[in-house]
Amino acid sequence: MTEHQIDILKQSVIRRMDTIDGLANAGLRSLTLINGGALVALFTLVAQGAGSPFVQRLDVSLIVFAAFAFVAGLVCSIVATLFGYLGQQILHMSDQGRLHTHLGIDQMSLETANREIDKGNRCVGYALWAAILSLVGFIVGAVIALAAALAAGAA
């Protein structure tokens, strides 16, 4: 592989990482918005329609469970963001330590660098699981809220 081809490959890797980073940020923001928005919409429905016959027929326990599911989804999206940040910070510090070792500025053992990489990757994995749980929280909350609305409409 020529030096030019290596440079093109490096640029491609950087562009792809930027794309992945952008998509991850958009996904986490979306999870926060859909769970938070669903929670606000649920409270707005109950508060604004308090006197309407439809809202009075809503099963309060289902609405409470839906609200808890949306809150759980919102908390999981925040946890995912925090673990994602922590994982990236650990990986950045590991990369910086390895670079400093290479440049002779400081010494970081390969074992320490690998341990830090493992720690950072675990944090990123936790972030992914928290994001999945956030999506599950939204789906569960939406299904419960829909079931409450359908039951109230049928009554």
Side-chain angles (χ1 to χ4, degrees):
M1 191 175 277
T2 68
E3 192 68 34
H4 178 67
Q5 290 171 323
I6 291 172
D7 286 341
I8 290 173
L9 187 58
K10 285 179 185 177
Q11 291 171 8
S12 176
V13 167
I14 291 169
R15 280 194 309 274
R16 287 175 203 264
M17 284 306 299
D18 288 343
T19 301
I20 290 168
D21 183 52
L23 290 171
N25 283 328
L28 289 173
R29 282 190 197 113
S30 296
L31 288 170
T32 303
L33 286 172
I34 62 172
N35 280 295
L39 192 59
V40 168
L42 192 62
F43 288 150
T44 301
L45 169 72
V46 172
Q48 292 296 322
S52 77
F54 173 77
V55 172
Q56 290 175 351
R57 289 191 307 264
L58 285 173
D59 185 347
V60 175
S61 63
L62 288 178
I63 297 301
V64 169
F65 283 131
F68 276 127
F70 292 138
V71 168
L74 187 57
V75 168
C76 285
S77 71
I78 293 167
V79 168
T81 302
L82 292 175
F83 269 117
Y85 170 78
L86 182 61
Q88 290 304 313
Q89 181 67 21
I90 291 169
L91 291 170
H92 169 73
M93 295 304 290
S94 174
D95 287 347
Q96 185 176 354
R98 289 184 304 156
L99 178 62
H100 283 186
T101 298
H102 178 72
L103 296 175
I105 298 171
D106 197 4
Q107 289 297 321
M108 174 186 264
S109 71
L110 184 58
E111 181 181 315
T112 301
N114 287 338
R115 202 170 36 247
E116 291 299 305
I117 290 170
D118 288 344
K119 201 184 321 180
N121 286 336
R122 271 195 309 276
C123 285
V124 172
Y126 297 151
L128 181 59
W129 278 109
I132 290 169
L133 288 175
S134 177
L135 182 59
V136 168
F138 173 75
I139 292 169
V140 167
V143 167
I144 293 171
L146 182 61
L150 290 175

